[in-house]
């Protein structure tokens, strides 16, 4: 039986009581989806190019998570049948309470059948769910040409994985200032109640990888109080960026992010 493995192509944002699936109409989204499935069309009658959700029940923000100000991204692994039904939804990562409600919601999702070589096939893919409070989400207006379309490597960039044949590097390292200039969606962290009671403040330093799609795919703590680190990661992992273009091609970039908690 044929099965197609697809990369994650949806980003669903929960804004405390309001749900914005990336496959819904664009007007319902806080920011454009990196890969808007609803606007995609098949390359040919025998092939689909994207999964398209036709029914997407909204998960509720868990009461405990809302009370404690927990934000964050969770990843769910889906197995979708030939008829577009979700056969299984497995939690990959994320806060347990947030992941549980995302998992239960995704089990009820319905997709248009995915066509490969003229036949409907099973699909295995992973999808992110973003949970954030509405007043903490900020759309950043940036110039249309801010995708850093460089013909050569600027001084703020270092390379890794560049071949001797002159191929483009697999990943670049850019300064925090360069990355900040590409950000189109900001989610502000919530000061943890535990930290407030203990009068804990200070800097959190994070190491981030920004993918070709403008999403953060890898986020690691370098420095900071563990309670503050958790709050910072829950917000920062939901940030979105314009892709960094090198000679017209999107490339992954690594950068450092600093979050300051001050009472």
């Amino acid at each position: 039986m044929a099965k197609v493995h697809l990369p994650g192509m949806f980003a669903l944002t929960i804004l405390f009581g309001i749900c914005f699936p990336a496959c819904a109409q664009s007007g319902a989204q806080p920011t454009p989806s990196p890969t808007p499935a609803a606007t995609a069309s098949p390359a040919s009658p025998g092939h689909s190019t994207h999964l398209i959700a036709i029914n997407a029940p909204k998960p509720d923000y868990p009461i405990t998570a809302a009370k404690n100000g927990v934000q964050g991204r969770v990843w769910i692994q889906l197995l979708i049948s030939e008829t577009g039904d979700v056969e299984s939804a497995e939690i990959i990562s994320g806060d347990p309470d947030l992941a549980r409600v995302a998992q239960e919601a995704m089990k009820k999702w319905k997709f248009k059948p995915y066509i490969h070589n003229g036949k409907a096939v099973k699909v295995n893919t992973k999808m992110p769910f973003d949970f954030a409070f509405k007043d903490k989400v900020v759309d950043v207006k940036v110039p249309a040409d801010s995708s850093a379309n460089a013909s050569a490597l600027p001084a703020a960039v270092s390379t890794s994985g560049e071949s001797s044949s002159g191929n483009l590097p697999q990943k670049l390292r850019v300064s925090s200032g360069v990355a900040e200039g590409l950000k189109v969606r900001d989610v502000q962290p919530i000061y943890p109640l535990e930290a407030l009671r203990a009068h804990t403040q200070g800097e959190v330093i994070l190491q981030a990888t920004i993918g070709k799609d403008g999403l953060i795919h890898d986020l690691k703590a370098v420095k900071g109080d563990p309670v503050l680190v958790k709050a910072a990661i829950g917000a920062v992992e939901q940030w979105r960026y314009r892709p960094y273009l090198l000679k017209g091609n999107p490339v992954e970039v690594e950068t450092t992010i600093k979050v300051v908690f001050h009472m």
Side-chain angles (χ1 to χ4, degrees):
M1 182 179 295
K3 184 188 295 183
V4 176
H5 291 263
L6 298 178
M9 294 187 294
F10 293 82
L12 182 118
T13 301
I14 310 299
L15 300 184
F16 197 36
I18 304 176
C19 173
F20 297 96
C23 55
Q25 296 179 354
S26 59
Q29 299 175 358
T31 58
S33 170
T35 310
T39 61
S41 58
S44 69
H47 293 280
S48 298
T49 57
H50 293 83
L51 277 168
I52 300 177
I54 56 178
N55 184 33
K58 303 175 182 180
D60 295 321
Y61 216 120
I63 295 176
T64 301
K67 181 179 179 181
N68 295 328
V70 177
Q71 303 182 114
R73 169 169 292 173
V74 301
W75 284 88
I76 307 295
Q77 187 77 36
L78 295 181
L79 178 60
I80 302 167
S81 71
E82 296 90 340
T83 59
D85 296 301
V86 175
E87 290 190 355
S88 67
E90 303 295 333
I91 297 172
I92 300 174
S93 63
D95 177 85
D97 289 337
L98 301 181
R100 174 181 51 80
V101 297
Q103 178 190 38
E104 291 304 313
M106 289 299 297
K107 288 179 179 178
K108 301 173 184 178
W109 276 44
K110 176 75 173 181
F111 297 83
K112 292 184 68 173
Y114 190 88
I115 307 302
H116 184 70
N117 291 332
K119 296 181 179 180
V121 297
K122 286 190 176 183
V123 172
N124 198 336
T125 188
K126 65 178 182 178
M127 297 184 183
F129 276 64
D130 288 346
F131 290 82
F133 291 88
K134 186 176 181 179
D135 62 346
K136 298 298 181 182
V137 179
V138 179
D139 292 337
V140 181
K141 294 183 179 181
V142 295
D145 61 351
S146 65
S147 52
N149 192 353
S151 58
L153 297 178
V157 172
S158 60
T159 67
S160 64
E162 187 170 11
S163 68
S164 58
S165 60
N167 293 333
L168 291 176
Q170 297 177 1
K171 185 180 292 186
L172 303 177
R173 177 160 186 81
V174 301
S175 69
S176 57
V178 169
E180 184 68 20
L182 299 175
K183 188 163 61 175
V184 297
R185 180 175 183 255
D186 181 90
V187 177
Q188 301 168 0
I190 295 175
Y191 215 122
L193 183 59
E194 179 183 351
L196 285 172
R197 289 172 175 170
H199 301 283
T200 302
Q201 56 184 355
E203 293 182 352
V204 172
I205 306 298
L206 305 173
Q207 189 74 28
T209 296
I210 303 170
K212 297 177 182 179
D213 54 7
L215 300 181
I216 291 181
H217 292 274
D218 189 21
L219 192 61
K220 299 177 181 178
V222 176
K223 173 187 174 183
D225 179 89
V227 176
L228 300 181
V229 164
K230 183 178 179 180
I233 288 178
V236 172
E237 64 188 352
Q238 301 182 62
W239 292 1
R240 294 181 185 173
Y241 299 79
R242 288 186 183 273
Y244 188 96
L245 302 181
L246 181 61
K247 298 181 180 178
N249 298 297
V251 294
E252 284 190 339
V253 297
E254 286 185 349
T255 192
T256 299
I257 296 173
K258 180 171 71 172
V259 180
V260 179
F261 290 84
H262 181 69
M263 299 180 65

